[in-house]
Tab-separated table of all heavy atoms in Angstrom:
chain	number	residue	atom	x	y	z
A	274	PHE	N	-5.087	-27.961	-16.766
A	274	PHE	CA	-5.751	-26.901	-15.999
A	274	PHE	C	-4.979	-25.604	-16.259
A	274	PHE	O	-4.022	-25.286	-15.542
A	274	PHE	CB	-5.774	-27.244	-14.508
A	274	PHE	CG	-6.579	-28.464	-14.176
A	274	PHE	CD1	-5.961	-29.701	-14.041
A	274	PHE	CD2	-7.952	-28.386	-14.025
A	274	PHE	CE1	-6.700	-30.832	-13.743
A	274	PHE	CE2	-8.701	-29.508	-13.730
A	274	PHE	CZ	-8.080	-30.744	-13.594
A	275	PRO	N	-5.370	-24.846	-17.288
A	275	PRO	CA	-4.592	-23.662	-17.710
A	275	PRO	C	-4.423	-22.640	-16.588
A	275	PRO	O	-5.308	-22.431	-15.758
A	275	PRO	CB	-5.422	-23.089	-18.862
A	275	PRO	CG	-6.189	-24.251	-19.391
A	275	PRO	CD	-6.494	-25.098	-18.192
A	276	ARG	N	-3.273	-21.996	-16.628
A	276	ARG	CA	-2.899	-20.983	-15.650
A	276	ARG	C	-3.131	-19.599	-16.238
A	276	ARG	O	-2.889	-19.368	-17.428
A	276	ARG	CB	-1.426	-21.163	-15.288
A	276	ARG	CG	-0.823	-20.078	-14.436
A	276	ARG	CD	0.690	-20.286	-14.343
A	276	ARG	NE	1.332	-19.273	-13.526
A	276	ARG	CZ	2.646	-19.112	-13.445
A	276	ARG	NH1	3.453	-19.906	-14.134
A	276	ARG	NH2	3.158	-18.172	-12.675
A	277	ILE	N	-3.593	-18.652	-15.413
A	277	ILE	CA	-3.733	-17.258	-15.843
A	277	ILE	C	-2.653	-16.443	-15.146
A	277	ILE	O	-2.411	-16.616	-13.941
A	277	ILE	CB	-5.146	-16.700	-15.545
A	277	ILE	CG1	-5.352	-15.350	-16.249
A	277	ILE	CG2	-5.420	-16.614	-14.057
A	277	ILE	CD1	-6.790	-14.870	-16.243
A	278	GLN	N	-1.964	-15.580	-15.895
A	278	GLN	CA	-0.822	-14.874	-15.327
A	278	GLN	C	-0.547	-13.589	-16.098
A	278	GLN	O	-1.017	-13.388	-17.218
A	278	GLN	CB	0.428	-15.760	-15.397
A	278	GLN	CG	0.861	-16.083	-16.818
A	278	GLN	CD	2.034	-17.030	-16.880
A	278	GLN	OE1	1.840	-18.235	-16.949
A	278	GLN	NE2	3.250	-16.480	-16.874
A	279	LYS	N	0.257	-12.723	-15.465
A	279	LYS	CA	0.769	-11.528	-16.150
A	279	LYS	C	1.966	-11.926	-16.983
A	279	LYS	O	2.753	-12.790	-16.589
A	279	LYS	CB	1.157	-10.469	-15.124
A	279	LYS	CG	1.684	-9.180	-15.737
A	279	LYS	CD	1.891	-8.105	-14.691
A	279	LYS	CE	3.031	-8.432	-13.756
A	279	LYS	NZ	3.314	-7.332	-12.805
A	280	HIS	N	2.131	-11.284	-18.141
A	280	HIS	CA	3.237	-11.650	-19.035
A	280	HIS	C	3.842	-10.392	-19.646
A	280	HIS	O	3.133	-9.492	-20.079
A	280	HIS	CB	2.740	-12.576	-20.145
A	280	HIS	CG	3.816	-12.958	-21.120
A	280	HIS	ND1	4.685	-13.996	-20.892
A	280	HIS	CD2	4.174	-12.418	-22.317
A	280	HIS	CE1	5.534	-14.085	-21.900
A	280	HIS	NE2	5.243	-13.142	-22.774
A	281	ARG	N	5.162	-10.364	-19.689
A	281	ARG	CA	5.913	-9.343	-20.413
A	281	ARG	C	6.891	-10.033	-21.348
A	281	ARG	O	7.288	-11.171	-21.123
A	281	ARG	CB	6.699	-8.438	-19.460
A	281	ARG	CG	5.896	-7.375	-18.739
A	281	ARG	CD	6.840	-6.445	-17.995
A	281	ARG	NE	6.176	-5.506	-17.128
A	281	ARG	CZ	5.788	-4.293	-17.497
A	281	ARG	NH1	5.980	-3.893	-18.733
A	281	ARG	NH2	5.219	-3.484	-16.633
A	282	GLY	N	7.313	-9.318	-22.376
A	282	GLY	CA	8.360	-9.833	-23.245
A	282	GLY	C	7.830	-10.638	-24.404
A	282	GLY	O	6.659	-10.520	-24.809
A	283	ALA	N	8.720	-11.470	-24.971
A	283	ALA	CA	8.378	-12.247	-26.162
A	283	ALA	C	7.234	-13.211	-25.850
A	283	ALA	O	7.194	-13.833	-24.790
A	283	ALA	CB	9.608	-13.010	-26.655
A	284	ARG	N	6.328	-13.361	-26.813
A	284	ARG	CA	5.153	-14.213	-26.621
A	284	ARG	C	5.449	-15.606	-27.188
A	284	ARG	O	4.959	-15.979	-28.256
A	284	ARG	CB	3.940	-13.559	-27.285
A	284	ARG	CG	3.474	-12.322	-26.549
A	284	ARG	CD	2.360	-11.609	-27.282
A	284	ARG	NE	2.855	-10.899	-28.445
A	284	ARG	CZ	3.434	-9.710	-28.407
A	284	ARG	NH1	3.601	-9.097	-27.243
A	284	ARG	NH2	3.867	-9.130	-29.498
A	285	ARG	N	6.256	-16.366	-26.436
A	285	ARG	CA	6.655	-17.705	-26.878
A	285	ARG	C	5.763	-18.800	-26.303
A	285	ARG	O	5.597	-19.847	-26.912
A	285	ARG	CB	8.113	-17.982	-26.475
A	285	ARG	CG	9.132	-17.049	-27.123
A	285	ARG	CD	10.550	-17.549	-26.893
A	285	ARG	NE	11.540	-16.627	-27.438
A	285	ARG	CZ	12.164	-15.691	-26.738
A	285	ARG	NH1	11.891	-15.552	-25.453
A	285	ARG	NH2	13.056	-14.889	-27.298
A	286	ALA	N	5.225	-18.580	-25.106
A	286	ALA	CA	4.412	-19.604	-24.459
A	286	ALA	C	3.112	-19.819	-25.231
A	286	ALA	O	2.523	-18.875	-25.777
A	286	ALA	CB	4.110	-19.197	-23.019
A	287	LYS	N	2.665	-21.071	-25.274
A	287	LYS	CA	1.425	-21.404	-25.967
A	287	LYS	C	0.240	-20.952	-25.128
A	287	LYS	O	0.164	-21.222	-23.929
A	287	LYS	CB	1.361	-22.916	-26.203
A	287	LYS	CG	0.144	-23.370	-27.004
A	287	LYS	CD	0.179	-24.879	-27.200
A	287	LYS	CE	-1.046	-25.344	-27.978
A	287	LYS	NZ	-1.055	-26.829	-28.145
A	288	GLY	N	-0.686	-20.226	-25.752
A	288	GLY	CA	-1.855	-19.755	-25.030
A	288	GLY	C	-2.453	-18.527	-25.671
A	288	GLY	O	-2.082	-18.119	-26.772
A	289	ASN	N	-3.405	-17.910	-24.978
A	289	ASN	CA	-4.096	-16.713	-25.449
A	289	ASN	C	-3.565	-15.493	-24.703
A	289	ASN	O	-3.523	-15.485	-23.473
A	289	ASN	CB	-5.603	-16.837	-25.229
A	289	ASN	CG	-6.199	-18.014	-25.982
A	289	ASN	OD1	-6.306	-19.101	-25.438
A	289	ASN	ND2	-6.575	-17.805	-27.224
A	290	TYR	N	-3.178	-14.465	-25.473
A	290	TYR	CA	-2.649	-13.232	-24.896
A	290	TYR	C	-3.698	-12.132	-25.024
A	290	TYR	O	-4.280	-11.934	-26.093
A	290	TYR	CB	-1.371	-12.803	-25.619
A	290	TYR	CG	-0.205	-13.740	-25.416
A	290	TYR	CD1	-0.053	-14.879	-26.198
A	290	TYR	CD2	0.743	-13.495	-24.421
A	290	TYR	CE1	1.015	-15.740	-26.009
A	290	TYR	CE2	1.809	-14.352	-24.225
A	290	TYR	CZ	1.939	-15.483	-25.015
A	290	TYR	OH	2.986	-16.326	-24.821
A	291	TYR	N	-3.908	-11.403	-23.924
A	291	TYR	CA	-4.887	-10.324	-23.920
A	291	TYR	C	-4.194	-9.040	-23.471
A	291	TYR	O	-3.584	-8.987	-22.412
A	291	TYR	CB	-6.054	-10.670	-22.990
A	291	TYR	CG	-6.761	-11.955	-23.381
A	291	TYR	CD1	-6.407	-13.165	-22.793
A	291	TYR	CD2	-7.757	-11.958	-24.354
A	291	TYR	CE1	-7.040	-14.343	-23.146
A	291	TYR	CE2	-8.404	-13.141	-24.718
A	291	TYR	CZ	-8.031	-14.326	-24.112
A	291	TYR	OH	-8.659	-15.491	-24.483
A	292	GLY	N	-4.293	-8.010	-24.285
A	292	GLY	CA	-3.642	-6.747	-23.997
A	292	GLY	C	-3.376	-6.008	-25.287
A	292	GLY	O	-3.981	-6.324	-26.323
A	293	PRO	N	-2.489	-4.999	-25.273
A	293	PRO	CA	-1.626	-4.633	-24.146
A	293	PRO	C	-2.368	-3.827	-23.082
A	293	PRO	O	-3.338	-3.149	-23.381
A	293	PRO	CB	-0.550	-3.777	-24.811
A	293	PRO	CG	-1.277	-3.104	-25.942
A	293	PRO	CD	-2.252	-4.131	-26.451
A	294	PHE	N	-1.880	-3.920	-21.860
A	294	PHE	CA	-2.335	-3.055	-20.786
A	294	PHE	C	-1.353	-1.899	-20.663
A	294	PHE	O	-0.162	-2.049	-20.927
A	294	PHE	CB	-2.420	-3.822	-19.473
A	294	PHE	CG	-3.571	-4.788	-19.409
A	294	PHE	CD1	-3.490	-6.023	-20.034
A	294	PHE	CD2	-4.727	-4.453	-18.743
A	294	PHE	CE1	-4.548	-6.914	-19.985
A	294	PHE	CE2	-5.795	-5.335	-18.682
A	294	PHE	CZ	-5.707	-6.573	-19.308
A	295	ALA	N	-1.848	-0.761	-20.246
A	295	ALA	CA	-1.016	0.440	-20.225
A	295	ALA	C	0.046	0.391	-19.137
A	295	ALA	O	1.093	1.010	-19.268
A	295	ALA	CB	-1.892	1.682	-20.047
A	296	SER	N	-0.206	-0.349	-18.061
A	296	SER	CA	0.742	-0.354	-16.950
A	296	SER	C	0.606	-1.642	-16.167
A	296	SER	O	-0.392	-2.368	-16.288
A	296	SER	CB	0.486	0.834	-16.016
A	296	SER	OG	-0.794	0.707	-15.401
A	297	ALA	N	1.611	-1.925	-15.346
A	297	ALA	CA	1.558	-3.106	-14.484
A	297	ALA	C	0.414	-2.983	-13.481
A	297	ALA	O	-0.229	-3.977	-13.129
A	297	ALA	CB	2.887	-3.282	-13.761
A	298	GLY	N	0.151	-1.753	-13.020
A	298	GLY	CA	-0.940	-1.551	-12.074
A	298	GLY	C	-2.285	-1.933	-12.657
A	298	GLY	O	-3.090	-2.604	-12.011
A	299	SER	N	-2.544	-1.525	-13.900
A	299	SER	CA	-3.831	-1.831	-14.523
A	299	SER	C	-3.984	-3.331	-14.765
A	299	SER	O	-5.067	-3.884	-14.569
A	299	SER	CB	-3.985	-1.054	-15.833
A	299	SER	OG	-2.981	-1.414	-16.755
A	300	VAL	N	-2.912	-4.008	-15.171
A	300	VAL	CA	-3.019	-5.450	-15.420
A	300	VAL	C	-3.153	-6.212	-14.105
A	300	VAL	O	-3.884	-7.210	-14.035
A	300	VAL	CB	-1.829	-5.966	-16.257
A	300	VAL	CG1	-0.575	-6.092	-15.437
A	300	VAL	CG2	-2.155	-7.314	-16.885
A	301	ASN	N	-2.495	-5.749	-13.040
A	301	ASN	CA	-2.599	-6.432	-11.746
A	301	ASN	C	-4.013	-6.342	-11.178
A	301	ASN	O	-4.548	-7.323	-10.656
A	301	ASN	CB	-1.596	-5.842	-10.752
A	301	ASN	CG	-0.169	-6.246	-11.056
A	301	ASN	OD1	0.077	-7.249	-11.712
A	301	ASN	ND2	0.788	-5.448	-10.592
A	302	LYS	N	-4.620	-5.158	-11.268
A	302	LYS	CA	-5.993	-4.996	-10.777
A	302	LYS	C	-6.954	-5.879	-11.557
A	302	LYS	O	-7.829	-6.541	-10.989
A	302	LYS	CB	-6.414	-3.529	-10.878
A	302	LYS	CG	-5.733	-2.610	-9.877
A	302	LYS	CD	-6.201	-1.168	-10.055
A	302	LYS	CE	-5.504	-0.238	-9.068
A	302	LYS	NZ	-5.918	1.175	-9.266
A	303	THR	N	-6.803	-5.880	-12.878
A	303	THR	CA	-7.675	-6.703	-13.708
A	303	THR	C	-7.453	-8.176	-13.425
A	303	THR	O	-8.406	-8.964	-13.331
A	303	THR	CB	-7.424	-6.405	-15.198
A	303	THR	OG1	-7.629	-5.016	-15.445
A	303	THR	CG2	-8.359	-7.212	-16.073
A	304	LEU	N	-6.197	-8.587	-13.253
A	304	LEU	CA	-5.881	-9.990	-13.001
A	304	LEU	C	-6.466	-10.449	-11.665
A	304	LEU	O	-7.016	-11.559	-11.563
A	304	LEU	CB	-4.364	-10.177	-13.017
A	304	LEU	CG	-3.827	-11.606	-13.128
A	304	LEU	CD1	-4.366	-12.289	-14.372
A	304	LEU	CD2	-2.308	-11.585	-13.162
Side-chain angles (χ1 to χ4, degrees):
F274 296 96
R276 172 189 180 190
I277 191 168
Q278 64 184 91
K279 181 173 69 175
H280 178 84
R281 282 188 188 269
R284 289 175 286 279
R285 297 191 183 96
K287 184 179 179 182
N289 299 92
Y290 293 84
Y291 301 94
F294 287 79
S296 65
S299 61
V300 76
N301 287 338
K302 289 180 181 178
T303 303
L304 195 57

